[in-house]
Amino acid sequence: MELVIKNLCKTYSNGVKALDNLSLEISNGMFGLLGPNGAGKSSLMRTLATLQEADSGTMHLDDINILENPIELRKVLGYLPQEFGVYPKITAKELLDHLAILKGITNNKERIELVNFLLQKVNLYEKRNKSVKGFSGGMKQRIGIAQALIGNPKLIIVDEPTAGLDPGERNRFHNLLADVAEDVIIILSTHIVEDVRELCQNMAIMNQGRLICKGRPQHVIDELNDRVWQKLIERNELEDYSNQHMIISNKMVGGKPLIHVLSDIKPGVGFTRVPPTLEDVFFSKINITSTVI
Ligand code: ADP
């Protein structure tokens, strides 16, 4: 299975260029798409899910031309949007049953078996007769994944899935995704760097509608080896340090900023070299693109 995106462009009517000549190839497994808010991730996800059109470019999933033949793509697509709205007063089982009918599974026996199978897969079988409205955020996300799995999709798109989940729910959700990722493409679009590091074999970072980094998480991290330095400074020193150094991130630790600086040599007194993280990669790429533009 291969998804090939070439020279994709999209400018909204207000003039915002959300996709700027974007090209990307993705094969089986979990693929993480990272980017700050406004980077264009959802625009790309919605275009891939055939919910909106691109101005130019091409997208193919194996031999399906997605832009010319959206109906073929929808047959093999599972989509979990950012907000998975659920109907009020409907049980988990009724919801999946209803969505399975909408996806064209009209044979009753086949549908009942599928719904039971999916409920078990996402660990909600015990809750099958409970109203979905009362579900926790994590349970709703799991129902969202269950509906995205109806019809044996080959391409699964998951947009910002773990926002609002507690750590336990997030873990369960990750395990579930990793479990289904084996022979399909799952694209996980998120601004949470940890999710990508933990889960994805391959990843890309987007900013301002463009692709600014692509590779295996560990490979892109290794590119920063020996170049990340940290120092705990006082709050009123932050401006001076920003003027003198390339600060890639700053976090508050015990009320003081802990800065990470990118430099080939020791940037100054009190700095210690630290192993790079995916967060360092993310912020260094984002800062570089913002300053170039
Ligand atoms: P992300 O998912 O990475 O946060 P989006 O694709 O939602 O990014 O947005 C990319 C840019 O396009 C942003 O500047 C956003 O404000 C703009 N945008 C998104 N959707 C629309 C729309 N329907 N009309 C106009 N501008 C939009």
Side-chain angles (χ1 to χ4, degrees):
M1 189 74 39
E2 191 83 10
L3 175 68
V4 181
I5 300 168
K6 279 194 188 148
N7 309 109
L8 207 62
C9 292
K10 172 74 184 177
T11 302
Y12 289 109
S13 52
N14 59 0
V16 172
K17 209 176 217 182
L19 299 173
D20 188 359
N21 206 24
L22 191 132
S23 298
L24 184 59
E25 286 169 21
I26 301 177
S27 8
N28 282 3
M30 291 275 286
F31 186 93
L33 184 66
L34 274 174
N37 284 331
K41 303 180 300 296
S42 291
S43 299
L44 177 61
M45 297 301 100
R46 288 196 304 263
T47 313
L48 269 176
T50 75
L51 295 171
Q52 69 180 46
E53 291 183 345
D55 299 332
S56 58
T58 59
M59 301 190 296
H60 287 85
L61 180 67
D62 285 347
D63 48 9
I64 302 174
N65 182 331
I66 299 177
L67 292 174
E68 282 182 3
N69 209 342
I71 293 167
E72 278 307 300
L73 192 270
R74 282 176 208 150
K75 287 182 190 161
V76 292
L77 173 75
Y79 180 53
L80 177 57
Q82 242 170 47
E83 297 275 316
F84 177 61
V86 289
Y87 308 88
K89 291 193 187 155
I90 191 170
T91 68
K93 191 170 138 190
E94 286 163 349
L95 177 65
L96 290 181
D97 191 67
H98 176 71
L99 293 170
I101 293 173
L102 293 181
K103 278 208 181 171
I105 303 170
T106 46
N107 180 298
N108 281 348
K109 185 166 171 281
E110 189 190 336
R111 204 172 59 250
I112 290 165
E113 279 172 11
L114 173 70
V115 167
N116 285 339
F117 168 80
L118 290 172
L119 284 165
Q120 267 152 1
K121 180 121 193 153
V122 300
N123 210 6
L124 286 172
Y125 187 76
E126 303 302 315
K127 310 270 186 216
R128 65 191 180 284
N129 294 320
K130 295 260 182 283
S131 160
V132 177
K133 211 168 172 230
F135 278 11
S136 70
M139 286 157 77
K140 278 187 189 148
Q141 286 294 43
R142 280 186 278 147
I143 273 284
I145 277 289
Q147 65 78 28
L149 291 174
I150 296 171
N152 256 334
K154 299 286 173 230
L155 172 64
I156 300 176
I157 294 173
V158 190
D159 202 353
E160 295 281 359
T162 57
L165 299 193
D166 69 39
E169 285 177 330
R170 187 166 155 258
N171 256 340
R172 276 194 294 275
F173 186 71
H174 281 179
N175 286 334
L176 178 62
L177 283 182
D179 191 33
V180 292
E182 272 187 6
D183 42 26
V184 300
I185 297 175
I186 300 190
I187 304 178
L188 178 71
S189 161
T190 181
H191 64 275
I192 302 174
V193 178
E194 281 294 286
D195 284 359
V196 170
R197 193 186 54 74
E198 287 171 11
L199 275 177
C200 300
Q201 294 92 334
N202 275 292
M203 57 162 281
I205 303 177
M206 266 184 91
N207 198 21
Q208 297 169 337
R210 283 178 238 161
L211 212 65
I212 53 171
C213 168
K214 182 178 172 331
R216 293 184 174 272
Q218 197 54 51
H219 286 180
V220 298
I221 292 171
D222 287 346
E223 281 173 20
L224 292 190
N225 272 345
D226 301 330
R227 296 175 61 210
V228 180
W229 304 80
Q230 79 173 18
K231 185 175 179 181
L232 196 63
I233 60 170
E234 298 297 330
R235 280 159 76 153
N236 59 10
E237 295 174 325
L238 192 56
E239 202 180 326
D240 275 355
Y241 275 89
S242 319
N243 291 335
Q244 287 166 25
H245 302 284
M246 188 172 154
I247 297 186
I248 50 179
S249 70
N250 96 68
K251 256 187 227 169
M252 295 305 267
V253 175
K256 291 184 178 184
L258 180 70
I259 56 170
H260 276 197
V261 163
L262 196 63
S263 172
D264 290 334
I265 52 164
K266 185 168 179 168
V269 181
F271 277 95
T272 47
R273 192 153 43 200
V274 287
T277 63
L278 193 53
E279 206 163 72
D280 292 323
V281 175
F282 180 75
F283 286 116
S284 66
K285 300 283 180 190
I286 301 296
N287 288 343
I288 289 166
T289 40
S290 318
T291 40
V292 167
I293 287 157

